[in-house]
Amino acid sequence: MEKLLHLLENDATLTHKELALMLSKEEGDIKSMIRQLEKDGVILGYKAIVDWDKTEKETVTALIEVKVMPQRDDGFDKIAEKIQNYPEIKGLYLMSGGFDFTVLIEGKTMKEVAYFVARKLAPIEFVTATATHFVLKTYKYNGVIYNSPKKDLRESDGI
Amino acid sequence: MIDHELMLSDTLKYIKPSGIRKFFDLLADMGDVTALTVGQPDFVTPWHIREAAIQSLERGHTYYTSNSGLPELRAEICSYMKRRFDLDYTPGEALITVGGSEAIDVAVRSLVNPGDEVIIPMPSFVCYEPIARMAGAVPVIINTKAENGFKLTANELRAAITPKTKLLVLPFPNNPTGAILEREELQAIAEVLRGTNIAILSDEIYAELTYGKRHVSIASIEGMRERTIIASGFSKAYAMTGWRLGYLLGPAPWIKQMTKLHQYAIMCAPTVSQFAAVEALKNGDDDIAGMAAEYNRRRVFITEGLREIGIEVMEPQGAFYIYPYIGGFGLSSEEFCQRLLMEEKCAIVPGTAFGECGEGYARISYAYSVRHIEEALEKIKRFVDKLK
Ligand SMILES: Cc1ncc(COP(=O)(O)O)c(C=O)c1O
């Protein structure tokens, strides 16, 4: 199960047949295992990893530290529910340490992101402070190194 | 004027350059070729192994090691052999070499006298015959047959043995055919050798790359360990071709003499690579498994792909090559490969590079991404459709 998840996390385009082969299992077993994992919400989706910097599209990404008033019980979850539904927000984490939430946000321009923070995020109830950090360059994300050489480095074929 | 040619060793002059090389020289000048020619993994050496090498440099391990190699590495190799192949060796029965290549060279040169016969099953890796010749030995070629799945059979071996036979090279899992020898087949071969004074050089560099069945070493067959020298290395299993590291395992009296030759010719294998190899053996079992699973996926993909195109091919059981029959199109292997290269910009190696018996066949390496293999298959299909 764990191996199957690792393989899929690494390459979601693997077919049932290929997975069966790599895990020495029957194709049908793989199919039903994946179905179950999807049903159980262990597998939540399948996406391509896009390096938008290599396209015409202008995007900026920012990491926002959010501080909120101290909360009891499910207080943090309630605040998270208010934040998480904005489509601009790509990631949301409850943190230990000096602040409470990390918000990962994507926008067209820095201005747009700044407006979003000021107009949408900061006014949310219990939010006491935000600090926005813009991403300047992505080296690695989701286990993928963005500018690793695509060229075949094998100079010689051996003999 | 000195005649440089005249001054060279006669034996060396009559050794042909590798047929694989010849083909690559053609390839080198063409841009944008989809090649399936490479005999090395496409993976980069796992990071923890590279890191161990870097750390060894940081700590100043920039000296020679002992001639036979780091004691820790030899001990790790022994425990690895036990763990993976149920073979019992002690560090005194191990010699660390500069790749499987040097291991083969040292083993052959240490075992043969001029005039001795060395039995070499072909098609196989290209180095055995020239190395045997340089040692003054007489190569005796056994052409393995397609109908036997390119396995060496006991009968073929029996027929090749003469009173002069000194050494049998056992190149399985096989480059280029992907054939492996299973326990019963090894037992039959062992039966032929039992009671003779014939030594075995078992080239097990692809031992980790078998699919479905674990590799069995001839040394684990009763009565064979005492006459077997195993040549292996890190190049294929750990994706470490550039590190140039391999080893020999065999009876202590042999290893002692082989170490002497290695000492005079090489001194010791690269120290930094030896430190990397210790890490590979200690923490690399998962890396091997991951890469082998990926090769397996490609293996099935390419076998089916070739068959769909209408090319006859045996399903390879080991290494990362497939060896299809391309003789049915009215072209020689070399013509087929050359025209495929010129007309479709797709490169594969003519079987004749691995012995005359390779006529009619080609070696295709699947040490490439599935996408790359897919692209190559499209080109091969277009080419073959033209020929039909
Ligand atoms: C069958 C076989 N043996 C030995 C070698 C030598 O490998 P290395 O010297 O890199 O260990 C190769 C490399 O292609 C091979 O295919």
Side-chain angles (χ1 to χ4, degrees):
Chain A
M1 197 70 100
E2 208 173 291
K3 270 194 184 155
L4 173 64
L5 287 171
H6 278 303
L7 284 173
L8 281 174
E9 194 182 32
N10 206 30
D11 181 359
T13 67
L14 288 170
T15 63
H16 291 155
K17 191 172 157 197
E18 287 172 329
L19 289 164
L21 196 76
M22 294 167 93
L23 297 169
S24 320
K25 285 214 160 47
E26 293 299 318
E27 214 177 316
D29 296 342
I30 296 288
K31 216 174 186 167
S32 49
M33 276 164 85
I34 290 177
R35 242 184 233 149
Q36 195 58 45
L37 286 164
E38 287 169 351
K39 243 185 237 162
D40 295 345
V42 177
I43 294 178
L44 293 166
Y46 306 87
K47 294 187 171 190
I49 297 162
V50 180
D51 184 354
W52 286 107
D53 286 349
K54 294 207 184 85
T55 70
E56 300 291 304
K57 193 183 163 196
E58 287 283 324
T59 56
V60 290
T61 304
L63 257 155
I64 303 159
E65 298 172 5
V66 180
K67 279 188 187 159
V68 300
M69 306 233 300
Q71 299 288 318
R72 268 190 289 139
D73 303 329
D74 56 356
F76 287 112
D77 293 349
K78 288 217 172 100
I79 297 170
E81 277 164 29
K82 291 212 177 92
I83 301 175
Q84 68 193 10
N85 287 326
Y86 291 103
E88 297 89 333
I89 290 175
K90 300 291 167 193
L92 174 61
Y93 308 91
L94 181 62
M95 309 298 293
S96 68
F99 56 98
D100 302 302
F101 290 102
T102 295
V103 175
L104 194 69
I105 184 169
E106 219 177 82
K108 282 200 197 70
T109 59
M110 288 198 187
K111 205 165 154 187
E112 189 184 282
V113 171
Y115 270 126
F116 178 85
V117 174
R119 300 212 173 130
K120 303 274 166 67
L121 201 57
I124 289 174
E125 197 184 3
F126 302 122
V127 170
T128 58
T130 64
T132 305
H133 308 275
F134 285 101
V135 172
L136 301 180
K137 186 172 176 181
T138 305
Y139 294 97
K140 185 174 180 178
Y141 180 63
N142 243 325
V144 178
I145 293 175
Y146 272 43
N147 274 315
S148 69
K150 289 283 170 273
K151 195 174 136 259
D152 197 331
L153 294 175
R154 292 175 288 182
E155 259 185 32
S156 157
D157 293 75
I159 52 168
Chain B
M1 266 294 268
I2 281 181
D3 184 340
H4 291 101
E5 284 296 317
L6 202 68
M7 293 173 77
L8 283 162
S9 142
D10 289 333
T11 320
L12 181 59
K13 265 188 292 183
Y14 289 113
I15 289 173
K16 282 185 294 208
S18 158
I20 315 181
R21 273 264 74 86
K22 200 171 78 187
F23 196 68
F24 291 151
D25 293 342
L26 253 177
L27 215 156
D29 311 325
M30 296 179 63
D32 200 26
V33 171
T34 312
L36 292 177
T37 49
V38 168
Q40 52 177 330
D42 55 322
F43 301 102
V44 180
T45 309
W47 174 244
H48 67 103
I49 299 174
R50 288 186 273 158
E51 205 176 22
I54 293 164
Q55 205 170 73
S56 80
L57 293 176
E58 284 170 349
R59 289 180 182 166
H61 292 294
T62 57
Y63 304 98
Y64 296 130
T65 67
S66 76
N67 298 126
S68 51
L70 287 173
E72 190 188 0
L73 176 55
R74 282 177 290 133
E76 282 298 334
I77 287 172
C78 295
S79 94
Y80 162 89
M81 280 309 217
K82 181 71 188 162
R83 176 169 87 242
R84 310 285 293 187
F85 306 107
D86 199 26
L87 289 170
D88 290 292
Y89 283 98
T90 59
E93 295 170 309
L95 169 63
I96 310 301
T97 59
V98 178
S101 300
E102 194 223 339
I104 294 163
D105 183 37
V106 165
V108 172
R109 282 200 284 157
S110 302
L111 285 167
V112 305
N113 286 311
D116 283 351
E117 291 180 357
V118 176
I119 297 179
I120 304 170
M122 284 195 161
S124 59
F125 185 48
V126 292
C127 82
Y128 313 121
E129 188 180 342
I131 285 175
R133 278 197 196 284
M134 282 309 285
V138 180
V140 174
I141 307 303
I142 297 178
N143 292 325
T144 57
K145 299 200 175 55
E147 64 258 34
N148 298 327
F150 296 106
K151 291 167 186 279
L152 173 68
T153 68
N155 283 337
E156 289 167 338
L157 174 60
R158 196 176 293 114
I161 290 175
T162 75
K164 288 192 177 152
T165 305
K166 169 55 87 50
L167 178 66
L168 164 66
V169 177
L170 209 55
F172 299 94
N174 185 273
N175 168 12
T177 65
I180 63 168
L181 291 184
E182 295 178 50
R183 186 173 295 279
E184 307 77 59
E185 291 148 357
L186 290 168
Q187 269 158 354
I189 285 168
E191 203 45 51
V192 178
L193 296 175
R194 215 165 271 135
T196 69
N197 269 328
I198 299 170
I200 306 168
L201 168 58
S202 187
D203 182 347
E204 302 186 14
I205 196 126
Y206 293 104
E208 290 288 359
L209 301 178
T210 60
Y211 309 101
K213 293 166 189 127
R214 286 293 293 162
H215 168 74
V216 181
S217 172
I218 186 103
S220 67
I221 308 291
E222 205 201 323
M224 293 299 110
R225 186 191 187 282
E226 59 186 24
R227 67 177 72 235
T228 300
I229 183 95
I230 295 176
S232 192
F234 295 84
S235 289
K236 317 289 175 170
Y238 294 96
M240 291 179 71
T241 47
W243 300 79
R244 309 309 306 124
L245 205 67
Y247 50 90
L248 284 168
L249 291 168
W254 286 1
I255 291 294
K256 194 173 157 216
Q257 293 296 328
M258 290 175 187
T259 303
K260 191 170 69 187
L261 178 54
H262 167 80
Q263 171 189 346
Y264 286 129
I266 300 287
M267 193 78 92
C268 73
T271 303
V272 61
S273 302
Q274 293 193 53
F275 277 99
V278 169
E279 169 63 22
L281 292 167
K282 275 188 173 158
N283 298 308
D285 286 9
D286 286 348
D287 300 311
I288 296 177
M291 290 189 269
E294 179 62 29
Y295 291 130
N296 194 22
R297 168 190 177 213
R298 300 165 180 185
R299 178 183 71 102
V300 171
F301 183 77
I302 198 164
T303 307
E304 287 177 1
L306 286 169
R307 285 178 180 165
E308 268 165 34
I309 293 171
I311 291 178
E312 207 181 300
V313 69
M314 177 188 95
E315 183 177 336
Q317 304 294 317
F320 40 59
Y321 312 100
I322 187 162
Y323 196 63
Y325 177 69
I326 50 158
F329 301 103
L331 299 176
S332 73
S333 295
E334 209 151 312
E335 284 167 346
F336 184 98
C337 296
Q338 234 166 66
R339 280 188 52 186
L340 176 63
L341 179 61
M342 296 305 170
E343 293 171 30
E344 292 294 341
K345 295 204 160 190
C346 174
I348 59 177
V349 182
T352 41
F354 304 93
E356 279 161 30
C357 55
E359 185 51 72
Y361 292 87
R363 183 190 79 173
I364 299 180
S365 159
Y366 52 87
Y368 293 89
S369 72
V370 167
R371 284 275 188 280
H372 183 95
I373 294 170
E374 206 169 19
E375 196 181 307
L377 283 172
E378 279 163 21
K379 293 184 169 190
I380 295 171
K381 178 171 167 33
R382 259 205 311 270
F383 179 63
V384 165
D385 283 348
K386 253 188 315 194
L387 295 178
K388 274 180 189 164

